[in-house]
Amino acid sequence: MSHGAGLVRTTCSSTGALGPGSAARPPSEGLLDQAYPRTQGAVLKVAQMVTLLIAFICVRSSGWTDYTAYSFFEVVTICDLIMILIFYLVHLFRFYRVLNCINWSLSELLHYLIGTLLLLIASIMAASKSSSRSGLVAGAVFGFLATFLCLASVWLSYKISCITQSTGAARAEKAHYRYQLLPSGGDRWNCRLGQAPLLNAFGKPCLNPGFR
């Protein structure tokens, strides 16, 4: 903080911000998000794709007892696998920055809600029509496992959405209290140190920054 003649200049810095007189240089980020494969969401997506692929192979390589049930199971599993792979690549290569006309968070949440419901129905149908054949039973089991993993992704997406909204509300409330001013008579207003802008409500500089 530097003092001028009748004017107080304050510098508010956050974590990792540069000091006064330094040029702000954002960290260089390439096309590939190298940290994303280690996140919880990415690990869940990989596990979902693996279980869906195994379920598809198990049913595909077995003799079917009901064409409608297992054709529906194959369509649901392969479509879910493709969609999850698309969302994985969108996050990995940061396509959401280029295709910002799409609400990717909402799209992914809707996909998981609809896809999980269809996968649960397909797994129940596959289990009920398996006739104790090992391949069909294994496919149904991996279908249920993929359903559970998709439910975990739904919960994670909902949790992240709630945390983001609460964080935004907390920041807005903090900014509101930061710019509160304290009247001290006349047209001069005292300002709390570090909690007010450079000028008071009358457009004049804060004259008593040490007031508490």
Side-chain angles (χ1 to χ4, degrees):
M1 179 181 293
S2 61
H3 300 271
L7 177 65
V8 177
R9 296 180 181 176
T10 58
T11 302
C12 182
S13 61
S14 58
T15 307
L18 299 176
S22 300
R25 298 177 181 177
S28 59
E29 296 180 354
L31 177 64
L32 183 66
D33 188 356
Q34 299 180 358
Y36 177 71
R38 297 188 294 271
T39 61
Q40 188 177 9
V43 173
L44 276 174
K45 284 183 175 61
V46 172
Q48 291 159 11
M49 289 187 287
V50 170
T51 52
L52 286 170
L53 181 60
I54 294 175
F56 177 82
I57 292 175
C58 288
V59 171
R60 188 66 177 176
S61 59
S62 302
W64 293 359
T65 56
D66 188 283
Y67 178 81
T68 303
Y70 291 105
S71 59
F72 176 70
F73 184 86
E74 281 192 346
V75 171
V76 171
T77 52
I78 201 66
C79 287
D80 269 356
L81 192 154
I82 293 173
M83 289 302 299
I84 293 171
L85 178 60
I86 290 174
F87 284 114
Y88 184 87
L89 295 177
V90 164
H91 290 289
L92 182 63
F93 292 101
R94 297 191 177 101
F95 290 146
Y96 53 84
R97 294 184 176 179
V98 180
L99 304 174
N100 52 14
C101 58
I102 302 174
N103 190 332
W104 291 103
S105 300
L106 180 60
S107 300
E108 187 172 353
L109 180 59
L110 290 176
H111 157 256
Y112 273 116
L113 288 174
I114 299 172
T116 303
L117 179 61
L118 292 177
L119 185 59
L120 178 62
I121 295 173
S123 300
I124 293 174
M125 292 176 61
S128 62
K129 301 292 184 179
S130 62
S131 299
S132 300
R133 296 190 180 184
S134 59
L136 300 179
V137 172
V141 169
F142 279 102
F144 284 118
L145 180 58
T147 303
F148 173 76
L149 293 174
C150 289
L151 283 174
S153 289
V154 171
W155 169 247
L156 180 63
S157 300
Y158 174 78
K159 185 177 179 181
I160 289 176
S161 177
C162 291
I163 291 175
T164 303
Q165 291 178 1
S166 61
T167 302
R171 289 179 178 175
E173 184 178 0
K174 183 178 179 181
H176 172 72
Y177 285 111
R178 179 183 176 188
Y179 291 100
Q180 282 187 338
L181 302 176
L182 299 176
S184 63
D187 60 349
R188 295 186 178 183
W189 287 43
N190 292 322
C191 307
R192 282 199 178 109
L193 181 62
Q195 292 184 331
L198 296 180
L199 302 179
N200 60 22
F202 298 97
K204 296 184 179 182
C206 300
L207 301 180
N208 188 8
F211 178 79
R212 293 181 181 274

